[in-house]
Amino acid sequence: MAKQFSFKVLAIDGKARRGVIDMPRGEIRTPAFMPVGTGGTVKTMYMDQVRGVGADIILGNTYHLMLRPGAERVARLGGLHEFARWPHPILTDSGGFQVMSLSKLRKLTEKGVTFRSHIDGAAYEMSPERSIEIQGLLDSDIQMQLDECTALPAEMKEIERAMELSLRWAERCKTAFGDQPGKAMFGIVQGGDNAALRVRSAQALSAMELKGYAVGGLAVGEPQAVMLEMLDITCPELPADKPRYLMGVGTPDDILKSVARGIDMFDCVMPTRAGRHGLAYTRRGKVNLRNARHADDPRPLDEESDCPAARDYSRAYLHHLVRSQEALGAMLLTWNNLSYYQKLMQDIRAAIEAGTFEARGAEITEGWARGDIPLL
């Protein structure tokens, strides 16, 4: 892999940035939404479908892949790209979120974290060095530092302790990552909902001269206004020539508002999880296919969509599949949702290039506010 990791900003509209990350396995057009493939699969989707809706990169999870099938096994089988049949870029989350979400199953020290597997109770040790080692075994293109993500609300002393620990772990991850041509390690800004701590974290990470920077510890229970306030404070402290990734976010509205503050990359389970529970994202807002109003409706979800799931199947059929708990219902609605998210990102990128991001964002928001088509 002779090509190096690079990021270039191609256009700016306000604080919104249109750019491109160039890597040996392909380009990532930014702002980008990364479908979540936690265990080596984007749930209910074929990988060619994921590519077909416009995804340039997907996300895998170090913790879950460590438990099964095991990082060493994936490495023996050719790495995650070969294993999952996804030859394009992959970003791996370090497992830091599980430090928070599985708090009853772990013990945290300066060295790292010891997990009890949520599958069988077996003990595993995850240090910053081991996290990077696992991500290397998976052959991840963008590797995340191990961090401690604090659930909100929390006491300032607890937020500060976790933020400082995450900074020390970032240094260790950087050392463990070393120089991997064509690949990147991103640091993760922590600091909860405290402005001063966010600034300290961002400045300290920026001084490490990493290839990219994530904003973590948001969308973990705080109101959207708090998240946006933290982005307003954090983004100006991060290098303008490096990609900025908002982890675990979010709704289409979250994405629009975060792009407006200078964020370049997103991931979230929301579109795939919603698809498995009968909820469709559309240009008219969210549509709940479980509702009886759709039972006799021959119209599609969106007659203007490029996605066959939205354009070619009746609401009545989708309603039937969802209410009958047929697997095809989850498959079609997830296809629709990921297609909608990627179309939204394409729309955002085009608007930034044209210098019309604010106006286009208002149009998109008005479309959601108008709501779904009326009853027959």
Side-chain angles (χ1 to χ4, degrees), residues 26 31 54 63 156 226 354:
Y63 168 81
M156 180 176 172
V226 172

Side-chain angles (χ1 to χ4, degrees), residues 48 78-79 93 98 156 174 211 230 248 315 339 353 367:
D48 58 352
D93 185 6
Q98 282 69 38
M156 180 176 172
K174 178 183 177 182
K211 292 183 179 179
M230 292 303 103
R315 290 167 179 247
S339 176
E353 287 181 353

